[in-house]
Amino acid sequence: MEKIVSLCKRRGFIFQSSEIYGGINGFWDYGPLGSELKRNVKDLWWRSMTQEREDVAGLDATIILHPKVWEASGHTSTFSDPMVDCLLSKKRFRADQINPLSGTAWFWTGATDAESDKVCNDKFSMLQLPGKDANWVRKGATQFYKARGLQAPVLQGETTEQVTNTTRYNEENGSLLTEPRAFNLMFKTYVGPVESNDNVAYLRPETAQAIFTEFKNICEVSRKAIPFGICQIGKAFRNEINPRNFTFRSREFEQMELEFFIRPDEVAAQFGEVPDGEAESEPQPNWGWKAWHLYWLRKRLEWYASIGLTSENLELYWQKPEELAHYARATVDILFKFPFGTQELEGIAARGNFDLSQHQKFSGKSMEYFDESAKAKYIPHVIEPSAGVDRMVLALICHAYHEEEVTDEKGKTETRIVMKFHPRVAPIKVGVFPLLKNKPALVAKAREVLAMLRPYMTVFYDEAGAIGRRYRRQDEAGTPFGVTIDFDTLGENEDPSLKDTVTLRERDSMKQVRVKIDDLLHLLLKKINS
């Protein structure tokens, strides 16, 4: 991960937000390459979800919604993590992510000040970490009581006890942690000029709820019949206790979510026996939630494969009954094997009709749908594939990063860093290079090729330095193809058949072939979309 983070900054994928002021934890900026990569991911997802389907409509909703939305969804009362604080460092952690520790725990009932009569009766405890002695433990306790106003603490009531698999201590410094307490993850703000309880609002912690609140409107204007979906890409905000693992867990991020509305099983049964699992490849009127859930899992895995993330890199995790959200019938997580561990990229949940029912209850507006085909009125159920854009971009970067030993034409071995992005998602599709920058005819021809390709793909022009170095720079950027204009292109060498041809280099194999300029665009488009 250290190498990947370094490359992301060096090549302009991802920067720390506000870095010149020391940065702000949990917020990241996407540089020139990162913003192109991120946009490619979103465009490919949007195209597959809306433009290539007849049963999904799009939405772009506001970040701030009516506060009642979050009351109905349960976010104001239940959207929280258990939080603990380190009594020494003041760092904050999620209680459910503390690693269990074993060893000797030291306890003190308080301390007195050797230079005054001041007494502190606050109890404190330290865990003796491996490789540390008693003096180290007592030094930590002394630091604790100095922070409470004692100039020269004398520890009181010292005792020890062997503990096993305890989560009460900070593994970084052995300090006692506070008791867990709930911490709501929503960012609070105020709408209007007055900061009062009447004007409280929240930055949305997810994009799904706006889809549910606009369900009836989109039903009317899109003229789509159930089963159909509404999808959205947008920013979401969560005040994470402990952002970590680069961009994986951030406080500001983007989601790509689909809410796919389906018939309840009892209504689907009117059209035939409801399948108990995966059914025919094409949707049928009698499909219940289980068939639709597995259908969307298959579709999502096919999409991941289309951008280069195959089953070799992914795992499926079916949540156990005790892990499910209270409204979910089933949830399967698509996990990616990151360098820091196998973690979730996307969740596909069968949410029942909880959300629409809640909004009907809290708003007083009907969320029922009349199904002409079934001649039935009901609140639709929902299958929700929900993916994180930032996590997906990080997965693509981690998957693409390779170090290879290569030998140049002089027999010298060197390490080549190459980002092997699938051409569909690569930030730059092709680099265009005149062999020499001080030859006007080469530069002019290279500019012609650049102008020909630019309307159809992202192209980078580079004329600085040796051609080998230019190739290496583009390898680190993940550019799948390089086009070099040389003297053969101009027809200045002995073989006239090479006139108006260029050298096409492939990033992964480093093989080079001659291609006619007239054939170049068609060939590149075919390779990018293959």
Side-chain angles (χ1 to χ4, degrees), residues 26-41:
F27 297 90
W28 301 92
D29 297 332
Y30 287 81
L33 290 179
S35 55
E36 288 292 336
L37 175 60
K38 193 174 184 182
R39 181 166 295 281
N40 289 344
V41 168

mmCIF file of all heavy atoms in Angstrom, residues 26-41:
data_model
loop_
_atom_site.group_PDB
_atom_site.id
_atom_site.type_symbol
_atom_site.label_atom_id
_atom_site.label_comp_id
_atom_site.label_asym_id
_atom_site.label_seq_id
_atom_site.Cartn_x
_atom_site.Cartn_y
_atom_site.Cartn_z
ATOM 1 N N GLY A 26 -9.661 11.731 6.224
ATOM 2 C CA GLY A 26 -10.895 11.191 5.670
ATOM 3 C C GLY A 26 -11.406 11.902 4.440
ATOM 4 O O GLY A 26 -12.516 11.612 3.978
ATOM 5 N N PHE A 27 -10.616 12.828 3.881
ATOM 6 C CA PHE A 27 -11.026 13.567 2.683
ATOM 7 C C PHE A 27 -9.889 13.508 1.666
ATOM 8 O O PHE A 27 -8.724 13.726 2.008
ATOM 9 C CB PHE A 27 -11.359 15.019 3.019
ATOM 10 C CG PHE A 27 -12.526 15.166 3.955
ATOM 11 C CD1 PHE A 27 -12.336 15.196 5.322
ATOM 12 C CD2 PHE A 27 -13.821 15.258 3.461
ATOM 13 C CE1 PHE A 27 -13.409 15.316 6.194
ATOM 14 C CE2 PHE A 27 -14.901 15.384 4.321
ATOM 15 C CZ PHE A 27 -14.693 15.417 5.688
ATOM 16 N N TRP A 28 -10.243 13.253 0.404
ATOM 17 C CA TRP A 28 -9.235 13.057 -0.638
ATOM 18 C C TRP A 28 -9.635 13.786 -1.917
ATOM 19 O O TRP A 28 -10.812 13.901 -2.237
ATOM 20 C CB TRP A 28 -9.076 11.557 -0.930
ATOM 21 C CG TRP A 28 -8.675 10.778 0.277
ATOM 22 C CD1 TRP A 28 -9.501 10.152 1.171
ATOM 23 C CD2 TRP A 28 -7.347 10.573 0.754
ATOM 24 N NE1 TRP A 28 -8.770 9.570 2.163
ATOM 25 C CE2 TRP A 28 -7.437 9.801 1.942
ATOM 26 C CE3 TRP A 28 -6.078 10.948 0.300
ATOM 27 C CZ2 TRP A 28 -6.321 9.412 2.670
ATOM 28 C CZ3 TRP A 28 -4.963 10.558 1.030
ATOM 29 C CH2 TRP A 28 -5.086 9.798 2.192
ATOM 30 N N ASP A 29 -8.621 14.264 -2.645
ATOM 31 C CA ASP A 29 -8.825 14.914 -3.940
ATOM 32 C C ASP A 29 -8.298 13.999 -5.043
ATOM 33 O O ASP A 29 -7.245 13.362 -4.881
ATOM 34 C CB ASP A 29 -8.080 16.255 -3.997
ATOM 35 C CG ASP A 29 -8.617 17.255 -2.969
ATOM 36 O OD1 ASP A 29 -9.811 17.155 -2.627
ATOM 37 O OD2 ASP A 29 -7.840 18.114 -2.517
ATOM 38 N N TYR A 30 -9.002 13.974 -6.158
ATOM 39 C CA TYR A 30 -8.580 13.163 -7.303
ATOM 40 C C TYR A 30 -7.902 14.067 -8.325
ATOM 41 O O TYR A 30 -8.489 15.044 -8.796
ATOM 42 C CB TYR A 30 -9.777 12.446 -7.913
ATOM 43 C CG TYR A 30 -10.266 11.307 -7.049
ATOM 44 C CD1 TYR A 30 -11.097 11.545 -5.956
ATOM 45 C CD2 TYR A 30 -9.872 9.995 -7.295
ATOM 46 C CE1 TYR A 30 -11.528 10.507 -5.141
ATOM 47 C CE2 TYR A 30 -10.302 8.950 -6.486
ATOM 48 C CZ TYR A 30 -11.121 9.215 -5.416
ATOM 49 O OH TYR A 30 -11.551 8.187 -4.592
ATOM 50 N N GLY A 31 -6.661 13.731 -8.651
ATOM 51 C CA GLY A 31 -5.882 14.524 -9.596
ATOM 52 C C GLY A 31 -6.278 14.233 -11.036
ATOM 53 O O GLY A 31 -7.297 13.595 -11.313
ATOM 54 N N PRO A 32 -5.446 14.682 -11.991
ATOM 55 C CA PRO A 32 -5.798 14.527 -13.412
ATOM 56 C C PRO A 32 -6.083 13.083 -13.813
ATOM 57 O O PRO A 32 -7.072 12.815 -14.493
ATOM 58 C CB PRO A 32 -4.567 15.079 -14.131
ATOM 59 C CG PRO A 32 -3.981 16.065 -13.164
ATOM 60 C CD PRO A 32 -4.214 15.489 -11.814
ATOM 61 N N LEU A 33 -5.230 12.155 -13.421
ATOM 62 C CA LEU A 33 -5.467 10.760 -13.789
ATOM 63 C C LEU A 33 -6.593 10.153 -12.960
ATOM 64 O O LEU A 33 -7.424 9.391 -13.472
ATOM 65 C CB LEU A 33 -4.185 9.940 -13.605
ATOM 66 C CG LEU A 33 -3.045 10.225 -14.587
ATOM 67 C CD1 LEU A 33 -1.837 9.351 -14.275
ATOM 68 C CD2 LEU A 33 -3.490 10.009 -16.025
ATOM 69 N N GLY A 34 -6.636 10.473 -11.670
ATOM 70 C CA GLY A 34 -7.669 9.921 -10.801
ATOM 71 C C GLY A 34 -9.057 10.352 -11.193
ATOM 72 O O GLY A 34 -10.010 9.550 -11.153
ATOM 73 N N SER A 35 -9.205 11.608 -11.578
ATOM 74 C CA SER A 35 -10.538 12.089 -11.959
ATOM 75 C C SER A 35 -11.012 11.431 -13.246
ATOM 76 O O SER A 35 -12.204 11.147 -13.409
ATOM 77 C CB SER A 35 -10.532 13.619 -12.098
ATOM 78 O OG SER A 35 -9.536 14.050 -13.010
ATOM 79 N N GLU A 36 -10.086 11.166 -14.181
ATOM 80 C CA GLU A 36 -10.463 10.459 -15.409
ATOM 81 C C GLU A 36 -10.851 9.009 -15.103
ATOM 82 O O GLU A 36 -11.837 8.495 -15.631
ATOM 83 C CB GLU A 36 -9.305 10.483 -16.413
ATOM 84 C CG GLU A 36 -9.041 11.827 -17.050
ATOM 85 C CD GLU A 36 -10.166 12.267 -17.986
ATOM 86 O OE1 GLU A 36 -10.907 11.397 -18.491
ATOM 87 O OE2 GLU A 36 -10.304 13.473 -18.221
ATOM 88 N N LEU A 37 -10.067 8.350 -14.238
ATOM 89 C CA LEU A 37 -10.371 6.972 -13.862
ATOM 90 C C LEU A 37 -11.731 6.882 -13.179
ATOM 91 O O LEU A 37 -12.557 6.013 -13.492
ATOM 92 C CB LEU A 37 -9.269 6.447 -12.940
ATOM 93 C CG LEU A 37 -9.450 5.055 -12.337
ATOM 94 C CD1 LEU A 37 -9.559 4.003 -13.432
ATOM 95 C CD2 LEU A 37 -8.293 4.727 -11.392
ATOM 96 N N LYS A 38 -11.980 7.796 -12.260
ATOM 97 C CA LYS A 38 -13.244 7.801 -11.526
ATOM 98 C C LYS A 38 -14.419 8.064 -12.462
ATOM 99 O O LYS A 38 -15.465 7.411 -12.370
ATOM 100 C CB LYS A 38 -13.179 8.873 -10.434
ATOM 101 C CG LYS A 38 -14.277 8.791 -9.393
ATOM 102 C CD LYS A 38 -14.025 9.808 -8.285
ATOM 103 C CE LYS A 38 -15.062 9.688 -7.184
ATOM 104 N NZ LYS A 38 -14.857 10.696 -6.115
ATOM 105 N N ARG A 39 -14.262 8.991 -13.375
ATOM 106 C CA ARG A 39 -15.343 9.291 -14.321
ATOM 107 C C ARG A 39 -15.610 8.096 -15.239
ATOM 108 O O ARG A 39 -16.765 7.796 -15.563
ATOM 109 C CB ARG A 39 -14.998 10.538 -15.147
ATOM 110 C CG ARG A 39 -16.072 10.934 -16.133
ATOM 111 C CD ARG A 39 -15.844 12.320 -16.674
ATOM 112 N NE ARG A 39 -15.952 13.312 -15.627
ATOM 113 C CZ ARG A 39 -17.097 13.780 -15.139
ATOM 114 N NH1 ARG A 39 -18.247 13.306 -15.594
ATOM 115 N NH2 ARG A 39 -17.097 14.690 -14.203
ATOM 116 N N ASN A 40 -14.565 7.408 -15.651
ATOM 117 C CA ASN A 40 -14.754 6.237 -16.501
ATOM 118 C C ASN A 40 -15.579 5.165 -15.785
ATOM 119 O O ASN A 40 -16.457 4.540 -16.378
ATOM 120 C CB ASN A 40 -13.408 5.659 -16.927
ATOM 121 C CG ASN A 40 -12.683 6.533 -17.933
ATOM 122 O OD1 ASN A 40 -13.280 7.417 -18.546
ATOM 123 N ND2 ASN A 40 -11.390 6.319 -18.092
ATOM 124 N N VAL A 41 -15.264 4.944 -14.495
ATOM 125 C CA VAL A 41 -16.012 3.958 -13.712
ATOM 126 C C VAL A 41 -17.483 4.347 -13.639
ATOM 127 O O VAL A 41 -18.380 3.518 -13.876
ATOM 128 C CB VAL A 41 -15.411 3.827 -12.292
ATOM 129 C CG1 VAL A 41 -16.343 3.041 -11.373
ATOM 130 C CG2 VAL A 41 -14.047 3.157 -12.352
#
